Amino acid sequence: MNINREHQCDVLVIGSGAAGLSLALQVAPYGKVIILSKSSLNEGATYYAQGGIAAVFDESDSIESHIQDTKIAGAGLCEDDTVKFIANNAKPCVQWLIDNGVLFDREENNGKKPRYHLTQEGGHSHRRILHSADTTGMVMQNSLQNNAYNHSNITILEYCNAIDLITEDKIGGEHNKVVGAYIWNRRYEYVENIRAQFIVLATGGASKVYQYTSNPDISSGDGIAMAWRAGCRVANLEFNQFHPTCLFHPKAKNLLLTEALRGEGAYLKRIDGTRFMIEFDKRAELAPRDIVARAIDFEMKRLGEECMYLDITHKSIDFIKKHFPSTHIRLQNLCIDMTKELIPIVPAAHYTCGGIIVNQKGQTDLSQLYAIGEVSYTGLHGANRIASNSLLECIVYAWSASQEIIKKLRKKELPKKLPEWDDSQVTCSDEEIVIQHNWRELRLLMWDYMGIVRTNKRLARALRRIELLQKEICEYYSNFKVSNNLLELRNLLQVSELMVQCAMKRKESRGLHYTLDYPELQNNTAPTILIPKRKKY
């Protein structure tokens, strides 16, 4: 028998990190909000963000400097209007966080009122990173979610996967209007649907397509894949940022070592203790992430080593424990004393710089559908994201999108009853191993063929294999009931295909996209835009 339940709300927010929670809190006074979280509420990438959030709070700094640093890191592909829009709105949006209980570190100020302690990270020319020690994301997440839990207009549904968006043509209207979504309740293992006036995708990135990633397990490109299937354009998915310094340790597969370590003076070294970044860039350890990651990758391959090393032992023990308490404790638990030992590191997939195309209000190509945070393409990051602009983008676009939704909210009515999910022709699978096998194969081929260094042949191999895996999963999806692993693999395959297609279209090396076949920059460059044909599988 079909089990179906339907929820109703004014605004459905899919995703529960900094972007989704911030928007929900700003919209909630004006309407009913449902927040959909694929796991527990705090299991997204925000919670694990260590470094901080970039904004001009120091008198010696300037918004213009922040704009220029962002554009330099973006390697000629940032959209000027977007960079200015975010930099100009950074301070008031960060102040909103502060007003809502987020505590950033302060320092003494010559007997005056304590000021915020600002750190400097790769690509920034000034100290402009507000932080809470080395657990900024955790502090932000905890504060925002506590506010959400206590808001009477917000309902939180945890352990629920969004399956697909529902467009109005399903109930006799236009295709380009989104009216709801199918969700899979993981706790009770049945499909529900949600009717909403507005839907906001805040699902984060897609770095789980790679074998090595700093991201939590839920970063499987769900929002990008759903939006593409519904008819949204995507852009710049060839630019996947590899964080230079993730811990290389068998018991810590995705422990990111914050950029602030290098910002506070840590060196990158070979196994013999010699520094190497000064041979690659005059900014040395403070060069943008793409340069640092390629340098580490180059040295590992040149020397045949499994890892390189991060060294902050020249700083005092008190300094290290004060600035990096969480990192110090976590490494100690793995029998690494960062006050005395070099830390083994490797690059790992970290941040998706492309995504669903949106305007400055977060609006996608589909009416009533918004996308904010890492899932979106705003034009801020260009070919490479500068450190600590990610949380900032989340907060600024959450504010911008919320203002647009609030303006329209009172004029809208809930859509008609949605079609029920039909699983009458599917059965329970007894071949879950197929998903596990295909999942491992996908992540390995993306690492080998679509990684830090690419070639035409590698990309062609990747695309051929992805298409074969898609056919297998399409058949599997058609015949068996949904599961968390099946839904994630379906989305990962879709996003992997889009990443490779974007990479094949870019005939140059720029920022995070480096190919041996086209090592030079093109004089005229533009975002890589893909336009979907409507397809179902």
Side-chain angles (χ1 to χ4, degrees):
M1 183 178 70
N2 251 359
I3 299 176
N4 191 79
R5 297 187 180 184
E6 182 174 275
H7 303 273
Q8 299 178 14
C9 62
D10 295 305
V11 182
L12 169 61
V13 180
I14 304 176
S16 58
L21 288 171
S22 297
L23 181 138
L25 287 166
Q26 291 176 75
V27 168
Y30 305 91
K32 297 291 185 182
V33 179
I34 291 178
I35 298 175
L36 198 70
S37 181
K38 193 164 72 171
S39 185
S40 61
L41 201 61
N42 64 355
E43 192 52 35
T46 295
Y47 185 84
Y48 296 99
Q50 299 175 11
I53 185 167
V56 175
F57 270 70
D58 188 85
E59 292 179 359
S60 65
D61 195 3
S62 69
I63 291 173
E64 184 57 36
S65 177
H66 188 184
I67 290 169
Q68 290 306 311
D69 290 345
T70 298
K71 290 168 67 174
I72 290 168
L77 265 187
C78 297
E79 295 188 13
D80 287 355
D81 289 346
T82 298
V83 179
K84 292 175 183 176
F85 173 71
I86 290 179
N88 280 312
N89 287 290
K91 188 171 183 178
C93 286
V94 171
Q95 186 62 50
W96 178 85
L97 286 175
I98 295 167
D99 294 342
N100 278 270
V102 178
L103 298 175
F104 295 110
D105 288 354
R106 293 176 178 264
E107 62 181 357
E108 294 300 321
N109 188 19
N110 297 323
K112 302 177 184 177
K113 182 180 178 180
R115 62 189 175 190
Y116 289 106
H117 179 269
L118 305 173
T119 189
Q120 186 174 357
E121 295 183 348
H124 290 278
S125 58
H126 290 77
R127 286 181 171 265
R128 66 169 66 100
I129 314 303
L130 289 88
H131 64 100
S132 297
D134 57 348
T135 57
T136 308
M138 182 179 71
V139 171
M140 283 179 58
Q141 179 73 28
N142 287 340
S143 177
L144 292 170
Q145 71 183 32
N146 286 342
N147 291 340
Y149 278 129
N150 292 319
H151 202 294
S152 60
N153 262 7
I154 294 177
T155 300
I156 297 168
L157 301 179
E158 293 182 302
Y159 298 98
C160 290
N161 296 55
I163 301 174
D164 269 317
L165 300 169
I166 304 172
T167 49
E168 198 179 39
D169 57 336
K170 300 288 194 308
I171 51 176
E174 296 296 322
H175 163 62
N176 67 345
K177 183 178 180 181
V178 172
V179 292
Y182 291 116
I183 67 169
W184 186 66
N185 190 314
R186 289 166 60 186
R187 282 184 169 142
Y188 302 107
E189 298 191 353
Y190 55 69
V191 175
E192 306 170 309
N193 58 35
I194 300 179
R195 281 196 286 163
Q197 292 187 44
F198 298 94
I199 296 180
V200 181
L201 297 173
T203 55
S207 287
K208 199 177 176 181
V209 300
Y210 287 102
Q211 184 178 23
Y212 302 110
T213 175
S214 65
N215 285 199
D217 283 343
I218 64 171
S219 299
S220 51
D222 302 332
I224 298 171
M226 286 190 293
W228 174 263
R229 288 194 293 264
C232 292
R233 293 171 301 156
V234 298
N236 277 17
L237 285 168
E238 69 270 38
F239 298 116
N240 203 98
Q241 189 175 70
F242 289 82
H243 196 287
T245 54
C246 281
L247 180 66
F248 181 71
H249 193 283
K251 294 183 179 179
K253 63 179 180 178
N254 61 353
L255 174 56
L256 180 150
L257 297 168
T258 173
E259 191 103 25
L261 279 161
R262 286 180 285 125
E264 295 295 343
Y267 299 131
L268 284 164
K269 293 184 175 181
R270 304 179 181 96
I271 193 170
D272 63 3
T274 58
R275 291 177 64 190
F276 59 87
M277 276 310 304
I278 50 178
E279 300 169 16
F280 290 88
D281 193 284
K282 64 181 180 181
R283 292 164 289 187
E285 281 79 9
L286 291 180
R289 288 176 175 177
D290 59 324
I291 295 172
V292 179
R294 277 202 301 274
I296 295 170
D297 184 67
F298 178 85
E299 287 297 302
M300 286 168 56
K301 289 175 179 174
R302 182 179 72 84
L303 298 171
E305 298 291 345
E306 290 185 303
C307 64
M308 289 289 111
Y309 297 87
L310 192 64
D311 181 13
I312 198 168
T313 58
H314 50 282
K315 296 287 187 178
S316 71
I317 294 176
D318 288 343
F319 177 91
I320 293 170
K321 288 183 176 180
K322 178 182 177 181
H323 286 82
F324 309 105
S326 173
T327 303
H328 179 256
I329 291 170
R330 293 180 74 180
L331 289 175
Q332 258 193 342
N333 291 338
L334 294 167
C335 300
I336 298 172
D337 185 350
M338 66 185 291
T339 68
K340 299 176 182 178
E341 300 175 69
L342 274 62
I343 309 167
I345 54 93
V346 291
H350 182 59
Y351 192 87
T352 308
C353 287
I356 307 161
I357 293 177
V358 297
N359 64 15
Q360 284 188 2
K361 301 296 184 182
Q363 293 172 314
T364 70
D365 293 331
L366 300 182
S367 176
Q368 299 180 195
L369 179 67
Y370 293 73
I372 56 175
E374 191 178 354
V375 72
S376 67
Y377 168 77
T378 64
L380 172 65
H381 306 304
N384 184 25
R385 177 180 72 93
I386 197 171
S388 291
N389 265 2
S390 55
L391 289 175
L392 177 62
E393 182 184 43
C394 290
I395 303 306
V396 172
Y397 269 76
W399 160 74
S400 179
S402 70
Q403 299 311 298
E404 186 70 7
I405 291 171
I406 290 166
K407 192 188 305 180
K408 296 178 178 179
L409 199 55
R410 299 166 190 170
K411 304 174 185 177
K412 300 287 183 180
E413 294 181 359
L414 279 174
K416 300 173 186 176
K417 184 173 176 61
L418 301 178
E420 293 185 357
W421 179 263
D422 182 9
D423 60 0
S424 60
Q425 303 300 311
V426 299
T427 61
C428 293
S429 171
D430 59 357
E431 296 180 330
E432 184 74 13
I433 190 64
V434 172
I435 297 176
Q436 297 299 329
H437 181 274
N438 288 359
W439 197 329
R440 286 192 295 269
E441 182 175 349
L442 172 67
R443 298 180 75 190
L444 181 60
L445 74 87
M446 286 294 285
W447 183 262
D448 288 342
Y449 300 148
M450 180 67 189
I452 296 173
V453 178
R454 301 157 186 176
T455 68
N456 287 343
K457 287 184 178 179
R458 292 175 189 174
L459 294 176
R461 289 190 190 110
L463 189 58
R464 284 196 302 269
R465 190 57 197 145
I466 288 168
E467 288 172 347
L468 288 172
L469 290 172
Q470 282 181 317
K471 289 178 182 177
E472 288 185 21
I473 292 304
C474 176
E475 181 181 354
Y476 195 100
Y477 183 76
S478 300
N479 291 300
F480 298 112
K481 290 186 177 180
V482 297
S483 67
N484 180 65
N485 287 342
L486 174 58
L487 293 173
E488 287 192 339
L489 179 57
R490 177 182 181 234
N491 291 333
L492 284 170
L493 282 165
Q494 180 60 80
V495 176
S496 296
E497 178 196 353
L498 299 176
M499 286 180 173
V500 174
Q501 285 183 359
C502 283
M504 295 176 85
K505 290 184 70 172
R506 185 163 293 281
K507 308 298 184 184
E508 64 170 346
S509 289
R510 182 180 296 272
L512 301 166
H513 174 70
Y514 186 81
T515 170
L516 297 176
D517 292 301
Y518 307 101
E520 304 299 326
L521 290 171
Q522 287 184 336
N523 292 328
N524 298 315
T525 192
T528 307
I529 296 175
L530 300 180
I531 303 172
K533 297 176 183 178
R534 290 199 69 193
K535 59 181 180 179
K536 302 174 184 178
Y537 64 86

